Amino acid sequence: MGIGILSTGSYLPKHEVDNEEVAARVGVTAEWIERKTQIRSRRYAAPHEATSDLAAKAAERALAQAGLTAGDIDYLIVSTSTGDHPQPPTSYLVQHLLGAYGAACFDVNVVCSGFVYALSLAHSLVTVRPDTRVLVIGADVYSRILDFTDRRTAILFADGAGAAVVGAVPEPYGVIATDLSSRGDAHHLIRVEAGGSRHPASAETVAEGGHFFRMDGRGVRDFVAEHVPPALIALARGAGVDIGAIDHFVPHQANGVMLTEVVERAGLGAARTHRTLVEYGNVGSASVPVALDEANRTGALTPGDLVLLAGFGGGMSIGASLLTWGART
């Protein structure tokens, strides 16, 4: 048996925010936003919705597609950098919403690479016990931590959740290889500076905007250009796969212009690159599973296809996984 993805699911909030609305708040034009990012619209969570709510809805759809109930799940992993609260872990709130009380739960926070990291952890858990089923969710609500005076971030980020059930699949399907890497020397490129133990919440940190998401856009673009394509090439080479033979590329939806550069530098021009950022923007850790679910549900993926998942972002971090798509047992 192999270990692979049994099913997928996603949830995007109903409230659609187009470039005209964001442009008016940020002080640019809608044309400028699309030219710089290729994003046309995005979704923002309703006032009553938090990360756990989005995550649970995506999870329900993944479970339904697999023909499973919440009681069939052994582990529940939530990847998020915008949890409902500092404590408890958001995965426990999702467990409660689903009623998945037989599952051991934990969160991972590797920002936009988190879903691939969580997928790797799920793979390890199934390796130890092959009858295990793991629910992996990537979910973020970035609209709550955006500074709309900062056009570098406010035009990009949005809210959403994606999920996958991981378990045993018949050979030759499943994960072929995974590679994870971290560069803490670049931690300053993406950050939320206040609200933790170094700068606890106070009237001063709130007044200074310390709880807003910050990003050095140029630094991130340079990091991605230098490190991501070589990491993808090395993963394929190590797996004995010609990168030109990859059928589908499902990347983190960081920025449309950046994605084009990654595809060209990595030699992935022959693959179909799945892009959801045009409609949904950058939904953080949810980017990869949302794009994967859309590809799956539209019938773009067929058994035997080579699929490359790639996340990259805050930390800085890179996570990539190569798998042969296939049906569950």
Side-chain angles (χ1 to χ4, degrees):
M1 302 297 292
I3 299 170
I5 291 174
L6 309 183
S7 65
T8 60
S10 61
Y11 174 77
L12 284 304
K14 294 180 180 179
H15 179 45
E16 184 174 349
V17 181
D18 63 20
N19 282 347
E20 295 286 351
E21 182 176 340
V22 175
R25 297 183 68 177
V26 176
V28 296
T29 66
E31 181 278 332
W32 184 87
I33 294 175
E34 185 172 352
R35 175 163 47 86
K36 290 288 186 180
T37 68
Q38 296 181 5
I39 296 169
R40 295 176 183 169
S41 65
R42 72 281 293 145
R43 305 288 183 89
Y44 288 170
H48 67 277
E49 288 181 314
T51 297
S52 64
D53 299 306
L54 275 58
K57 289 176 180 177
E60 287 170 349
R61 294 175 180 178
L63 289 170
Q65 188 181 79
L68 300 173
T69 68
D72 296 319
I73 298 301
D74 300 289
Y75 294 93
L76 194 163
I77 308 172
V78 173
S79 167
T80 186
S81 56
T82 59
D84 288 27
H85 314 284
Q87 296 183 40
T90 298
S91 55
Y92 285 72
L93 305 178
V94 176
Q95 179 196 47
H96 180 59
L97 290 170
L98 296 175
Y101 298 118
C105 308
F106 58 94
D107 290 6
V108 297
N109 179 1
V110 199
V111 197
C112 300
S113 299
F115 179 80
V116 179
Y117 272 67
L119 184 63
S120 177
L121 290 169
H123 185 279
S124 298
L125 291 168
V126 181
T127 299
V128 173
R129 203 181 82 195
D131 62 343
T132 292
R133 295 188 182 97
V134 186
L135 180 57
V136 180
I137 308 168
D140 274 309
V141 177
Y142 270 97
S143 64
R144 304 280 162 77
I145 58 171
L146 292 178
D147 178 359
F148 283 91
T149 67
D150 180 8
R151 68 182 187 180
R152 294 171 299 181
T153 57
I155 65 173
L156 289 169
F157 290 88
D159 309 335
V165 178
V166 177
V169 294
E171 292 184 344
Y173 305 120
V175 175
I176 301 169
T178 297
D179 184 67
L180 311 175
S181 62
S182 306
R183 289 296 300 267
D185 55 327
H187 71 274
H188 58 282
L189 295 178
I190 295 176
R191 63 202 184 278
V192 176
E193 296 173 338
S197 60
R198 188 168 298 281
H199 300 292
S202 66
E204 182 179 1
T205 62
V206 172
E208 293 175 348
H211 303 272
F212 288 133
F213 179 87
R214 303 295 182 192
M215 181 176 71
D216 177 348
R218 174 62 63 180
V220 170
R221 184 171 179 173
D222 291 345
F223 177 91
V224 170
E226 180 181 356
H227 296 286
V228 173
L232 302 181
I233 293 168
L235 174 66
R237 183 183 298 121
V241 173
D242 180 354
I243 200 163
I246 292 172
D247 300 294
H248 301 274
F249 181 42
V250 185
H252 168 49
Q253 308 289 306
N255 174 303
V257 176
M258 183 186 295
L259 288 187
T260 298
E261 294 173 352
V262 169
V263 169
E264 291 175 352
R265 290 172 181 261
L268 284 162
R272 177 176 175 181
T273 299
H274 294 271
R275 298 171 182 253
T276 56
L277 83 163
V278 175
E279 295 179 279
Y280 306 138
N282 181 339
V283 287
S285 190
S287 283
V288 172
V290 165
L292 181 64
D293 183 51
E294 183 168 290
N296 184 25
R297 289 178 185 268
T298 58
L301 308 178
T302 58
D305 284 353
L306 286 174
V307 180
L308 176 60
L309 310 179
F312 44 87
M316 295 292 286
S317 61
I318 302 171
S321 185
L322 181 64
L323 58 119
T324 301
W325 193 257
R328 69 184 184 91
T329 54

